[in-house]
Amino acid sequence: MSLLLFNIYINELTSLSDANYNVFIIAYADDILLLTSSVTALQNIFRPFELELKYLDMAVNPKKTHCIRIGP
């Protein structure tokens, strides 16, 4: 039940997704995944993402956060 409530609580975060710019926010269980087509796009979405989390009284945990770049 807690995972369902978490996803309902963070539902507004998914509004930051924009398929036109290849920016996707995926929430599964208690994890959130940001997918973009470039490092620049990730940097551009990360700040609004952090602000939305702050509004929800949440924060990014640096110890559990990873950035992976795939491709050239």
Side-chain angles (χ1 to χ4, degrees):
M1 182 74 167
S2 64
L3 299 177
L4 174 64
L5 294 174
F6 173 77
N7 281 298
I8 291 170
Y9 189 70
I10 64 158
N11 189 49
E12 289 299 316
L13 287 174
T14 58
S15 67
L16 296 173
S17 292
D18 190 346
N20 294 329
Y21 294 102
N22 292 324
V23 174
F24 303 96
I25 298 175
I26 300 169
Y28 180 76
D30 63 348
D31 294 322
I32 302 170
L33 178 65
L34 304 176
L35 295 173
T36 64
S37 58
S38 69
V39 174
T40 303
L42 180 61
Q43 291 170 330
N44 290 339
I45 192 64
F46 197 76
R47 184 65 182 146
F49 179 78
E50 279 186 310
L51 292 174
E52 187 66 30
L53 284 178
K54 186 176 180 179
Y55 174 76
L56 295 172
D57 199 27
M58 299 174 74
V60 173
N61 184 343
K63 292 181 181 179
K64 296 171 76 177
T65 302
H66 304 281
C67 180
I68 300 172
R69 181 172 183 241
I70 300 171

